[in-house]
Amino acid sequence: MKITLSVIKADIGGYVGHSHAHPDVVEAVKEVGKEAVKKGTLIDCDVLVCGDDIALVMTHTHGVDSPVVHGLAWEAFQRGTQVAKKLKLYGAGQDLLSDAFSGNVKGMGPGVAEMEFEERPSEPVIVFFADKTAPSAWNLALYEMFADPMVCSGLVIDPKMHEGFTFEVLDTFTGKAVKLSTPSELYDLLALIGTVERYAVRSVWRNSDGEIAAVASTQRLSLIAGRYVGKDDPVLIVRAQSGFPAVGEILEPFARPWIVEGWMRGSHNGPLMPVSFRHATPSRFDGPPRVIAAGYQLSEGKLIGPRDLFDDPAFDNARQTAQMMADILRRQGIFEPHRLPSEEMEYTTLPKILKKLEGRFYNLEEGKKEPVEHQQHADVD
Ligand code: 13P
Ligand code: 13P
Ligand code: MG
Ligand code: MG
Ligand code: MG
Ligand code: MG
């Protein structure tokens, strides 16, 4: 039987500020999932929380892009938003950009990662969920899991992985995608996905038989809405073991934190800190960005789990390193490269400031005039 695993997430209100989701809101979302399992629309449903974002992890047989499943997620987030509004939580309904559901939540705000596959005799999967960052945060990790043998030994020693993997890369500016096969096109892949403000890995397939291995949510809310509505805190599904990377090979990239876009006001670079479910509460300078890893075994579509995979002392050093990286970056304050380049910021006053200063810029070569009058204006303001 073919199973579809759908993970659909949204920020529908923060408690307090952008640091977490309120238990009553999470409960309202869970309730819709439970009803759907009872009715038989879903085989199973679990709800994950990372920071102020809530994800529905759903198994079913409706395939990807199903209006039934997307409608259900929409309904769950609507009901959660009602509670969030009643509690006057921060940014209630933040990621629900449209009032009417029209069959598919893509482009409406929620982030979506879905894959359909024949369940193997044993089917371990990991759902990663990050807050205070963007979909391209997964680029480095996916490269290491599926194309770097110094991280994923299986690429060399598992015959089923030896032919490598194909990456589908989305150009978030044009909406076009390109498929690149590794190891042969590895350097082309890296040229694109190292450009994190533009390119994001969407899917990964195994070359030997075309099996789906990983799918990420690639929605960028700021581009959907054309104005600031919050960074598109992403999810990622990865299948593990027997022909895919082992669970530990999939987790290994996170043992060495790297820097991602997001953090305060979606406008800063910061380390991605792997944390247990309990510590997915970004508070320091609204961060640093967090990632959780929920492990499940599927059994006839039932979600056996989750196991809180970063709840392991072996990741303590990574957390400590992330803290140090956070301190180093915070020293930069409002200065780049801690603050993002202006075109990548989610909030900016730069156009307004430039407008205000329009007449005050002068050419140093012609006349070398000192802008004395303007200086006085500034004092009066
Ligand atoms: P076990 O011997 O514990 O089953 O581990 C096998 C393995 O492949 C670990 O990555
Ligand atoms: P979220 O994208 O998690 O809502 O965070 C937005 C923000 O402005 C944090 O400072
Ligand atoms: Mg928020
Ligand atoms: Mg968030
Ligand atoms: Mg960005
Ligand atoms: Mg966000």
Side-chain angles (χ1 to χ4, degrees):
M1 186 175 63
K2 280 208 162 178
I3 301 283
T4 307
L5 175 59
S6 301
V7 183
I8 304 187
K9 55 81 39 186
D11 173 349
I12 51 174
Y15 166 64
V16 171
H18 290 282
S19 64
H20 205 29
H22 192 281
D24 292 358
V25 175
V26 177
E27 206 42 55
V29 171
K30 266 188 191 159
E31 209 43 56
V32 177
K34 271 191 209 152
E35 286 165 20
V37 173
K38 220 180 197 169
K39 271 199 268 172
T41 315
L42 298 178
I43 300 172
D44 208 352
C45 181
D46 189 35
V47 172
L48 297 172
V49 177
C50 187
D52 57 3
D53 289 78
I54 302 177
L56 285 152
V57 180
M58 299 172 282
T59 50
H60 55 91
T61 53
H62 303 282
V64 301
D65 284 332
S66 154
V68 177
V69 175
H70 283 229
L72 214 145
W74 188 255
E75 164 72 16
F77 293 135
Q78 289 288 350
R79 275 212 236 160
T81 297
Q82 281 168 18
V83 177
K85 283 192 170 152
K86 212 167 73 206
L87 300 175
K88 294 179 71 177
L89 298 182
Y90 196 68
Q94 173 178 288
D95 287 356
L96 307 184
L97 303 179
S98 162
D99 288 334
F101 176 70
S102 60
N104 191 308
V105 293
K106 279 185 201 162
M108 300 184 80
V112 185
E114 299 184 281
M115 53 163 76
E116 190 182 33
F117 51 78
E118 199 71 50
E119 188 181 288
R120 294 170 293 165
S122 182
E123 185 67 61
V125 295
I126 302 177
V127 175
F128 292 96
F129 191 9
D131 188 35
K132 304 294 177 271
T133 186
S136 64
W138 308 129
N139 287 5
L140 184 151
L142 284 166
Y143 151 63
E144 288 190 339
M145 287 174 210
F146 291 103
D148 182 359
M150 294 300 277
V151 173
C152 180
S153 307
L155 291 165
V156 178
I157 63 184
D158 179 343
K160 280 204 209 146
M161 289 168 68
H162 208 77
E163 285 173 46
F165 289 85
T166 290
F167 290 67
E168 179 181 45
V169 179
L170 173 73
D171 177 344
T172 58
F173 289 8
T174 63
K176 288 185 180 172
V178 59
K179 285 182 189 168
L180 294 163
S181 177
T182 61
S184 58
E185 297 179 297
L186 179 60
Y187 297 162
D188 295 337
L189 173 75
L190 290 173
L192 296 189
I193 68 173
T195 310
V196 291
E197 71 276 12
R198 177 154 188 172
Y199 298 98
V201 178
R202 217 172 85 91
S203 310
V204 181
W205 295 273
R206 184 164 62 197
N207 284 343
S208 60
D209 56 2
E211 266 296 299
I212 186 77
V215 175
S217 62
T218 43
Q219 288 75 22
R220 286 192 60 174
L221 288 183
S222 53
L223 296 187
I224 294 171
R227 66 192 155 84
Y228 179 74
V229 286
K231 272 259 189 267
D232 15 26
D233 307 313
V235 286
L236 166 69
I237 309 171
V238 186
R239 295 171 81 191
Q241 306 289 154
S242 33
F244 296 117
V247 166
E249 288 167 338
I250 293 166
L251 300 178
E252 184 61 10
F254 298 90
R256 297 174 300 144
W258 64 97
I259 290 169
V260 298
E261 296 184 327
W263 206 346
M264 173 58 76
R265 297 173 188 270
S267 303
H268 294 76
N269 282 307
L272 185 60
M273 182 187 275
V275 290
S276 63
F277 298 170
R278 193 165 68 83
H279 289 132
T281 51
S283 308
R284 182 192 175 182
F285 199 59
D286 287 4
R290 303 298 152 99
V291 55
I292 59 166
Y296 300 93
Q297 290 284 156
L298 295 192
S299 174
E300 311 301 329
K302 283 272 168 208
L303 293 159
I304 312 303
R307 272 225 58 235
D308 183 354
L309 294 167
F310 288 140
D311 186 13
D312 176 351
F315 287 97
D316 284 351
N317 277 354
R319 293 185 264 270
Q320 197 54 46
T321 304
Q323 302 269 37
M324 276 168 46
M325 292 163 83
D327 282 340
I328 291 166
L329 283 165
R330 283 300 301 130
R331 173 65 186 90
Q332 297 283 128
I334 191 67
F335 291 77
E336 295 179 21
H338 179 29
R339 202 214 70 200
L340 292 178
S342 54
E343 64 278 9
E344 274 299 298
M345 286 162 68
E346 297 286 345
Y347 289 81
T348 182
T349 45
L350 192 60
K352 260 194 181 163
I353 293 171
L354 285 174
K355 181 116 194 90
K356 195 176 78 181
L357 299 180
E358 219 167 41
R360 291 177 49 186
F361 278 91
Y362 54 91
N363 196 330
L364 273 180
E365 298 309 310
E366 285 168 23
K368 302 199 171 167
K369 280 187 290 183
E370 287 296 320
V372 179
E373 312 136 58
H374 296 112
Q375 204 69 51
Q376 283 164 350
H377 267 296
D379 288 347
V380 174
D381 276 15

